[in-house]
Short mmCIF file of all heavy atoms in Angstrom, two decimals:
data_model
loop_
_atom_site.label_atom_id
_atom_site.label_comp_id
_atom_site.label_asym_id
_atom_site.label_seq_id
_atom_site.Cartn_x
_atom_site.Cartn_y
_atom_site.Cartn_z
N LEU S 1 -74.35 54.56 47.62
CA LEU S 1 -75.76 54.94 47.48
C LEU S 1 -76.17 56.05 48.43
O LEU S 1 -76.42 57.17 48.03
CB LEU S 1 -76.67 53.69 47.65
CG LEU S 1 -76.51 52.60 46.58
CD1 LEU S 1 -77.43 51.43 46.88
CD2 LEU S 1 -76.76 53.15 45.19
N LEU S 2 -76.26 55.72 49.72
CA LEU S 2 -76.77 56.68 50.69
C LEU S 2 -75.69 57.54 51.31
O LEU S 2 -76.00 58.55 51.95
CB LEU S 2 -77.56 55.98 51.80
CG LEU S 2 -78.76 55.15 51.33
CD1 LEU S 2 -79.41 54.43 52.53
CD2 LEU S 2 -79.78 56.06 50.68
N PHE S 3 -74.45 57.16 51.13
CA PHE S 3 -73.40 57.93 51.81
C PHE S 3 -72.06 57.72 51.07
O PHE S 3 -71.89 56.76 50.32
CB PHE S 3 -73.23 57.48 53.27
CG PHE S 3 -72.87 56.03 53.41
CD1 PHE S 3 -71.54 55.65 53.56
CD2 PHE S 3 -73.85 55.05 53.49
CE1 PHE S 3 -71.19 54.32 53.69
CE2 PHE S 3 -73.53 53.73 53.64
CZ PHE S 3 -72.20 53.35 53.75
N ASP S 4 -71.17 58.67 51.29
CA ASP S 4 -69.81 58.57 50.76
C ASP S 4 -68.91 58.06 51.89
O ASP S 4 -69.10 58.38 53.04
CB ASP S 4 -69.28 59.93 50.30
CG ASP S 4 -69.98 60.39 49.03
OD1 ASP S 4 -70.44 59.51 48.26
OD2 ASP S 4 -70.05 61.61 48.83
N MET S 5 -67.92 57.22 51.52
CA MET S 5 -67.02 56.67 52.51
C MET S 5 -65.58 56.81 52.03
O MET S 5 -65.27 56.56 50.86
CB MET S 5 -67.33 55.19 52.78
CG MET S 5 -66.53 54.61 53.93
SD MET S 5 -67.07 52.92 54.36
CE MET S 5 -66.13 51.97 53.19
N THR S 6 -64.70 57.19 52.94
CA THR S 6 -63.29 57.26 52.63
C THR S 6 -62.72 55.84 52.67
O THR S 6 -62.90 55.12 53.64
CB THR S 6 -62.53 58.15 53.63
OG1 THR S 6 -63.08 59.47 53.61
CG2 THR S 6 -61.05 58.23 53.30
N THR S 7 -62.06 55.45 51.61
CA THR S 7 -61.46 54.13 51.54
C THR S 7 -59.94 54.26 51.33
O THR S 7 -59.46 55.31 50.93
CB THR S 7 -62.06 53.28 50.40
OG1 THR S 7 -61.81 53.94 49.17
CG2 THR S 7 -63.56 53.12 50.63
N HIS S 8 -59.24 53.17 51.57
CA HIS S 8 -57.79 53.18 51.45
C HIS S 8 -57.30 51.96 50.71
O HIS S 8 -56.82 51.00 51.33
CB HIS S 8 -57.15 53.25 52.86
CG HIS S 8 -57.55 54.48 53.63
ND1 HIS S 8 -57.00 55.70 53.39
CD2 HIS S 8 -58.47 54.65 54.61
CE1 HIS S 8 -57.54 56.59 54.21
NE2 HIS S 8 -58.42 56.00 54.95
N PRO S 9 -57.41 51.97 49.38
CA PRO S 9 -56.93 50.85 48.58
C PRO S 9 -55.41 50.65 48.68
O PRO S 9 -54.68 51.60 48.96
CB PRO S 9 -57.32 51.22 47.14
CG PRO S 9 -58.38 52.29 47.29
CD PRO S 9 -58.03 53.02 48.55
N LEU S 10 -54.99 49.43 48.43
CA LEU S 10 -53.55 49.08 48.48
C LEU S 10 -52.84 49.72 47.30
O LEU S 10 -53.31 49.66 46.18
CB LEU S 10 -53.41 47.58 48.44
CG LEU S 10 -51.99 47.02 48.62
CD1 LEU S 10 -51.51 47.26 50.03
CD2 LEU S 10 -51.98 45.52 48.32
N THR S 11 -51.68 50.35 47.58
CA THR S 11 -50.90 50.96 46.53
C THR S 11 -49.52 50.33 46.43
O THR S 11 -48.89 50.37 45.38
CB THR S 11 -50.78 52.47 46.75
OG1 THR S 11 -50.11 53.03 45.59
CG2 THR S 11 -49.95 52.82 47.98
N ASN S 12 -49.04 49.73 47.52
CA ASN S 12 -47.71 49.07 47.52
C ASN S 12 -47.95 47.58 47.85
O ASN S 12 -47.94 47.18 49.01
CB ASN S 12 -46.79 49.71 48.54
CG ASN S 12 -45.37 49.19 48.41
OD1 ASN S 12 -45.13 48.07 47.98
ND2 ASN S 12 -44.40 50.03 48.81
N ASN S 13 -48.12 46.81 46.80
CA ASN S 13 -48.43 45.39 46.99
C ASN S 13 -47.25 44.59 47.54
O ASN S 13 -47.43 43.59 48.20
CB ASN S 13 -48.86 44.77 45.68
CG ASN S 13 -49.44 43.37 45.85
OD1 ASN S 13 -50.33 43.16 46.68
ND2 ASN S 13 -48.93 42.42 45.10
N ASN S 14 -46.02 45.10 47.29
CA ASN S 14 -44.84 44.38 47.77
C ASN S 14 -44.80 44.22 49.29
O ASN S 14 -44.47 43.17 49.81
CB ASN S 14 -43.56 45.09 47.30
CG ASN S 14 -43.37 44.97 45.80
OD1 ASN S 14 -43.86 44.05 45.17
ND2 ASN S 14 -42.62 45.92 45.23
N ILE S 15 -45.17 45.31 49.99
CA ILE S 15 -45.16 45.28 51.44
C ILE S 15 -46.17 44.26 51.96
O ILE S 15 -45.89 43.48 52.88
CB ILE S 15 -45.41 46.68 52.02
CG1 ILE S 15 -44.21 47.60 51.71
CG2 ILE S 15 -45.66 46.61 53.53
CD1 ILE S 15 -44.34 48.99 52.22
N LYS S 16 -47.39 44.25 51.39
CA LYS S 16 -48.39 43.31 51.85
C LYS S 16 -47.99 41.87 51.51
O LYS S 16 -48.17 40.96 52.33
CB LYS S 16 -49.75 43.62 51.25
CG LYS S 16 -50.85 42.68 51.76
CD LYS S 16 -52.23 43.20 51.53
CE LYS S 16 -53.27 42.31 52.20
NZ LYS S 16 -54.64 42.84 52.07
N GLN S 17 -47.39 41.67 50.35
CA GLN S 17 -46.96 40.32 49.99
C GLN S 17 -45.86 39.82 50.90
O GLN S 17 -45.81 38.64 51.27
CB GLN S 17 -46.52 40.28 48.53
CG GLN S 17 -47.64 40.42 47.52
CD GLN S 17 -48.78 39.40 47.76
OE1 GLN S 17 -48.53 38.20 47.92
NE2 GLN S 17 -49.99 39.89 47.82
N ARG S 18 -44.95 40.70 51.30
CA ARG S 18 -43.90 40.31 52.26
C ARG S 18 -44.52 39.95 53.60
O ARG S 18 -44.09 39.00 54.27
CB ARG S 18 -42.89 41.44 52.43
CG ARG S 18 -41.92 41.57 51.31
CD ARG S 18 -40.64 42.30 51.74
NE ARG S 18 -40.93 43.67 52.14
CZ ARG S 18 -40.90 44.69 51.31
NH1 ARG S 18 -40.61 44.54 50.03
NH2 ARG S 18 -41.14 45.93 51.75
N LEU S 19 -45.53 40.71 54.02
CA LEU S 19 -46.23 40.40 55.27
C LEU S 19 -46.91 39.04 55.21
O LEU S 19 -46.77 38.23 56.14
CB LEU S 19 -47.24 41.51 55.57
CG LEU S 19 -48.16 41.30 56.77
CD1 LEU S 19 -47.37 41.20 58.06
CD2 LEU S 19 -49.19 42.43 56.85
N ILE S 20 -47.60 38.76 54.12
CA ILE S 20 -48.28 37.49 53.93
C ILE S 20 -47.28 36.36 53.92
O ILE S 20 -47.48 35.30 54.56
CB ILE S 20 -49.13 37.53 52.65
CG1 ILE S 20 -50.36 38.44 52.85
CG2 ILE S 20 -49.60 36.10 52.28
CD1 ILE S 20 -51.16 38.64 51.59
N LYS S 21 -46.19 36.57 53.21
CA LYS S 21 -45.16 35.52 53.12
C LYS S 21 -44.56 35.24 54.50
O LYS S 21 -44.30 34.07 54.87
CB LYS S 21 -44.08 35.95 52.16
CG LYS S 21 -42.95 34.91 51.94
CD LYS S 21 -41.89 35.39 51.00
CE LYS S 21 -40.79 34.37 50.83
NZ LYS S 21 -39.71 34.85 49.93
N LYS S 22 -44.35 36.29 55.28
CA LYS S 22 -43.79 36.13 56.61
C LYS S 22 -44.69 35.27 57.50
O LYS S 22 -44.21 34.37 58.22
CB LYS S 22 -43.58 37.52 57.27
CG LYS S 22 -43.06 37.49 58.66
CD LYS S 22 -42.71 38.88 59.16
CE LYS S 22 -43.94 39.70 59.43
NZ LYS S 22 -43.61 41.00 60.11
N VAL S 23 -46.01 35.54 57.44
CA VAL S 23 -46.97 34.78 58.23
C VAL S 23 -47.02 33.31 57.75
O VAL S 23 -47.04 32.38 58.54
CB VAL S 23 -48.36 35.42 58.16
CG1 VAL S 23 -49.40 34.54 58.85
CG2 VAL S 23 -48.35 36.79 58.81
N GLN S 24 -47.05 33.14 56.43
CA GLN S 24 -47.10 31.77 55.89
C GLN S 24 -45.88 30.96 56.28
O GLN S 24 -45.98 29.81 56.71
CB GLN S 24 -47.24 31.85 54.35
CG GLN S 24 -48.56 32.36 53.86
CD GLN S 24 -48.59 32.49 52.34
OE1 GLN S 24 -47.55 32.36 51.67
NE2 GLN S 24 -49.76 32.76 51.79
N GLU S 25 -44.68 31.57 56.12
CA GLU S 25 -43.47 30.84 56.40
C GLU S 25 -43.36 30.47 57.89
O GLU S 25 -42.76 29.43 58.21
CB GLU S 25 -42.25 31.67 55.99
CG GLU S 25 -42.06 31.76 54.50
CD GLU S 25 -40.83 32.55 54.10
OE1 GLU S 25 -40.33 33.33 54.96
OE2 GLU S 25 -40.37 32.40 52.96
N ALA S 26 -43.94 31.29 58.75
CA ALA S 26 -43.83 31.03 60.20
C ALA S 26 -44.49 29.71 60.57
O ALA S 26 -44.08 29.05 61.54
CB ALA S 26 -44.46 32.18 60.98
N VAL S 27 -45.52 29.31 59.80
CA VAL S 27 -46.23 28.06 60.14
C VAL S 27 -46.00 26.97 59.07
O VAL S 27 -46.58 25.90 59.15
CB VAL S 27 -47.73 28.31 60.31
CG1 VAL S 27 -47.98 29.12 61.55
CG2 VAL S 27 -48.35 28.99 59.08
N LEU S 28 -45.12 27.26 58.09
CA LEU S 28 -44.82 26.25 57.08
C LEU S 28 -43.30 26.02 57.00
O LEU S 28 -42.78 25.25 57.79
CB LEU S 28 -45.39 26.70 55.71
CG LEU S 28 -46.90 26.72 55.60
CD1 LEU S 28 -47.38 27.35 54.30
CD2 LEU S 28 -47.48 25.30 55.74
N ASP S 29 -42.63 26.71 56.12
CA ASP S 29 -41.21 26.41 55.89
C ASP S 29 -40.33 26.69 57.08
O ASP S 29 -39.30 26.00 57.31
CB ASP S 29 -40.68 27.26 54.70
CG ASP S 29 -41.40 26.90 53.40
OD1 ASP S 29 -42.00 25.84 53.35
OD2 ASP S 29 -41.33 27.71 52.46
N LYS S 30 -40.67 27.67 57.90
CA LYS S 30 -39.82 28.08 59.05
C LYS S 30 -40.48 27.67 60.37
O LYS S 30 -40.14 28.25 61.42
CB LYS S 30 -39.54 29.58 58.98
CG LYS S 30 -38.73 30.00 57.76
CD LYS S 30 -38.42 31.48 57.78
CE LYS S 30 -37.63 31.89 56.56
NZ LYS S 30 -37.31 33.33 56.53
N TRP S 31 -41.34 26.71 60.36
CA TRP S 31 -42.02 26.27 61.57
C TRP S 31 -41.00 25.64 62.52
O TRP S 31 -40.24 24.74 62.11
CB TRP S 31 -43.11 25.26 61.22
CG TRP S 31 -43.80 24.59 62.37
CD1 TRP S 31 -43.71 23.29 62.74
CD2 TRP S 31 -44.68 25.22 63.34
NE1 TRP S 31 -44.49 23.03 63.85
CE2 TRP S 31 -45.08 24.22 64.23
CE3 TRP S 31 -45.14 26.51 63.49
CZ2 TRP S 31 -45.97 24.47 65.28
CZ3 TRP S 31 -46.01 26.77 64.55
CH2 TRP S 31 -46.42 25.75 65.42
N VAL S 32 -40.99 26.06 63.78
CA VAL S 32 -40.02 25.57 64.75
C VAL S 32 -40.65 24.72 65.84
O VAL S 32 -39.96 24.16 66.69
CB VAL S 32 -39.23 26.73 65.40
CG1 VAL S 32 -38.37 27.40 64.36
CG2 VAL S 32 -40.18 27.73 66.05
N ASN S 33 -41.97 24.64 65.85
CA ASN S 33 -42.68 23.78 66.80
C ASN S 33 -42.41 24.13 68.26
O ASN S 33 -42.49 23.29 69.14
CB ASN S 33 -42.37 22.28 66.55
CG ASN S 33 -43.41 21.37 67.16
OD1 ASN S 33 -44.58 21.74 67.23
ND2 ASN S 33 -43.01 20.18 67.55
N ASP S 34 -42.08 25.38 68.51
CA ASP S 34 -41.83 25.87 69.86
C ASP S 34 -42.06 27.37 69.88
O ASP S 34 -41.26 28.10 69.28
CB ASP S 34 -40.42 25.52 70.31
CG ASP S 34 -40.13 26.01 71.72
OD1 ASP S 34 -41.02 26.63 72.37
OD2 ASP S 34 -38.99 25.79 72.19
N PRO S 35 -43.10 27.85 70.53
CA PRO S 35 -43.41 29.30 70.49
C PRO S 35 -42.29 30.16 71.08
O PRO S 35 -42.15 31.31 70.70
CB PRO S 35 -44.70 29.42 71.33
CG PRO S 35 -44.70 28.22 72.21
CD PRO S 35 -44.08 27.14 71.35
N HIS S 36 -41.47 29.58 71.94
CA HIS S 36 -40.41 30.35 72.60
C HIS S 36 -39.17 30.48 71.72
O HIS S 36 -38.27 31.23 72.05
CB HIS S 36 -40.07 29.75 73.94
CG HIS S 36 -41.27 29.69 74.85
ND1 HIS S 36 -41.78 30.78 75.49
CD2 HIS S 36 -42.07 28.65 75.20
CE1 HIS S 36 -42.83 30.43 76.19
NE2 HIS S 36 -43.04 29.15 76.01
N ARG S 37 -39.16 29.76 70.60
CA ARG S 37 -38.08 29.94 69.64
C ARG S 37 -38.52 30.85 68.49
O ARG S 37 -37.73 31.17 67.59
CB ARG S 37 -37.63 28.58 69.10
CG ARG S 37 -36.90 27.72 70.13
CD ARG S 37 -36.71 26.30 69.61
NE ARG S 37 -36.00 26.30 68.34
CZ ARG S 37 -36.00 25.29 67.48
NH1 ARG S 37 -36.70 24.18 67.76
NH2 ARG S 37 -35.33 25.33 66.36
N MET S 38 -39.79 31.23 68.49
CA MET S 38 -40.29 32.14 67.48
C MET S 38 -40.06 33.58 67.89
O MET S 38 -39.96 33.91 69.08
CB MET S 38 -41.80 31.91 67.28
CG MET S 38 -42.19 30.60 66.69
SD MET S 38 -43.97 30.38 66.52
CE MET S 38 -44.35 31.60 65.26
N ASP S 39 -39.94 34.46 66.92
CA ASP S 39 -39.88 35.87 67.17
C ASP S 39 -41.16 36.30 67.89
O ASP S 39 -42.26 35.96 67.46
CB ASP S 39 -39.70 36.64 65.87
CG ASP S 39 -39.74 38.14 66.07
OD1 ASP S 39 -38.77 38.69 66.60
OD2 ASP S 39 -40.74 38.76 65.68
N LYS S 40 -41.02 37.03 68.98
CA LYS S 40 -42.19 37.42 69.79
C LYS S 40 -43.20 38.24 69.00
O LYS S 40 -44.42 38.04 69.13
CB LYS S 40 -41.76 38.17 71.05
CG LYS S 40 -40.97 37.36 72.07
CD LYS S 40 -40.71 38.17 73.30
CE LYS S 40 -39.94 37.38 74.37
NZ LYS S 40 -38.57 37.04 73.92
N ARG S 41 -42.71 39.14 68.18
CA ARG S 41 -43.60 39.97 67.38
C ARG S 41 -44.36 39.13 66.38
O ARG S 41 -45.57 39.35 66.17
CB ARG S 41 -42.77 41.07 66.70
CG ARG S 41 -43.59 42.07 65.91
CD ARG S 41 -42.67 43.18 65.38
NE ARG S 41 -42.14 43.97 66.46
CZ ARG S 41 -42.80 45.01 66.98
NH1 ARG S 41 -43.98 45.35 66.49
NH2 ARG S 41 -42.27 45.70 67.97
N LEU S 42 -43.69 38.16 65.75
CA LEU S 42 -44.35 37.32 64.78
C LEU S 42 -45.36 36.41 65.46
O LEU S 42 -46.47 36.14 64.94
CB LEU S 42 -43.31 36.51 64.02
CG LEU S 42 -43.82 35.59 62.91
CD1 LEU S 42 -44.67 36.35 61.90
CD2 LEU S 42 -42.61 34.93 62.20
#
């Protein structure tokens, strides 16, 4: 309406889905119950 804005829609859904899956698995299927056994970056 009052202004134009530069936006950045998603174009590669595979990368985002891999990211989401990585986060989900860290606290579900691959949960280790010890932060020091987890990858530091994750």
Side-chain angles (χ1 to χ4, degrees):
L1 296 179
L2 300 178
F3 60 93
D4 290 333
M5 187 173 85
T6 301
T7 61
H8 299 283
L10 186 68
T11 186
N12 189 332
N13 190 52
N14 290 337
I15 291 180
K16 183 162 186 177
Q17 289 306 311
R18 282 201 299 268
L19 174 62
I20 289 173
K21 183 181 179 183
K22 178 172 72 172
V23 174
Q24 291 175 351
E25 287 182 341
V27 292
L28 291 172
D29 297 343
K30 296 182 180 179
W31 174 248
V32 293
N33 200 29
D34 180 359
H36 301 285
R37 291 171 56 200
M38 293 178 67
D39 175 72
K40 292 184 179 67
R41 184 176 292 275
L42 182 54

